[in-house]
Amino acid sequence: DWLEANVELVLRLTLLLLIFHGGSSGLAVVPRVLAAAMLFAPPLLKKPAAWWGLFIALAFMHLQVWFRIDNHQYLLLYWTGACALACTLEDKSAELLRIQGRLLVGLSFGFAVFWKLWGGQWLDGSFFHFTFLADGRFSYMLDLFTNMNLQDRIDNADCFRVLSDFPDSNLRFELKSSTMLGHAALYFGL
């Protein structure tokens, strides 16, 4: 099947993902350099020791900045571990990657949906409301659905920056929003 013929491609794409999206902290340079070495040195591509070293480097990096990284970084760590295990069990690598990939996607989305429904965050719109305010990737939503001014958006970004710099503090901020954004968040939660 396709995966059996392309295990090396999957490993190379994983290494590219680690190079370009392997973390933003200063510690991310170690896994990135290791991933680049593995990508450009063919003998290292399927070496279990290289993959386990990469997994350990990522895990160490995540432990240092666990309070700042998003869930995607943990999923990338999980997938790197799956690749390490696949290289260790070379004769079953395609089967193992197939199972782990399905589990990763299925359980991640399943648990996310369950948690959002259980907590009511989708139904009351609070998940989307917070996401639109907190995640810069959705700033266009603020432009489309709100009348928030630029200063409100800058103030919100400053609040997130302070909370990120002092994760163990008991600081509390009230984010600036608008009624229009609240209505849009409810709409997206339906």
Side-chain angles (χ1 to χ4, degrees):
D1 91 313
W2 182 90
L3 186 57
E4 285 192 32
N6 293 293
V7 168
E8 285 191 19
L9 177 63
V10 170
L11 296 175
R12 288 181 192 282
L13 290 173
T14 300
L15 292 170
L16 278 173
L17 180 63
L18 286 166
I19 291 168
F20 291 110
H21 191 65
S24 59
S25 75
L27 296 171
V29 72
V30 174
R32 281 193 170 120
V33 168
L34 186 53
M38 291 168 64
L39 183 64
F40 295 113
L44 292 177
L45 182 63
K46 294 182 99 176
K47 292 284 187 204
W51 280 97
W52 286 115
L54 182 59
F55 176 78
I56 290 167
L58 275 173
F60 179 76
M61 179 191 72
H62 289 353
L63 283 172
Q64 303 304 311
V65 292
W66 64 269
F67 51 86
R68 286 189 184 176
I69 60 176
D70 61 26
N71 294 341
H72 302 93
Q73 294 297 321
Y74 291 109
L75 297 176
L76 190 54
L77 175 66
Y78 173 89
W79 181 250
T80 303
C83 290
L85 191 57
C87 288
T88 303
L89 306 172
E90 190 173 337
D91 58 328
K92 298 188 186 265
S93 60
E95 181 183 344
L96 191 127
L97 288 174
R98 181 182 299 109
I99 291 168
Q100 293 300 316
R102 287 178 180 164
L103 284 172
L104 179 70
V105 172
L107 290 175
S108 295
F109 281 100
F111 283 130
V113 168
F114 170 76
W115 188 253
K116 299 294 186 273
L117 288 173
W118 180 265
Q121 297 162 334
W122 267 350
L123 302 177
D124 70 0
S126 61
F127 169 76
F128 288 106
H129 197 147
F130 180 76
T131 300
F132 294 152
L133 291 173
D135 194 332
R137 296 174 295 179
F138 297 102
S139 63
Y140 67 92
M141 298 300 276
L142 295 176
D143 296 334
L144 286 173
F145 296 110
T146 73
N147 54 355
M148 289 180 61
N149 63 42
L150 181 60
Q151 188 58 50
D152 288 344
R153 293 167 67 177
I154 291 171
D155 291 345
N156 285 348
D158 289 342
C159 291
F160 286 116
R161 197 170 5 270
V162 168
L163 288 172
S164 174
D165 289 341
F166 303 101
D168 295 331
S169 68
N170 289 326
L171 296 173
R172 294 185 184 271
F173 295 101
E174 186 170 327
L175 298 176
K176 297 179 180 178
S177 184
S178 73
T179 305
M180 290 173 65
L181 180 60
H183 294 306
L186 276 172
Y187 172 78
F188 281 98
L190 297 177

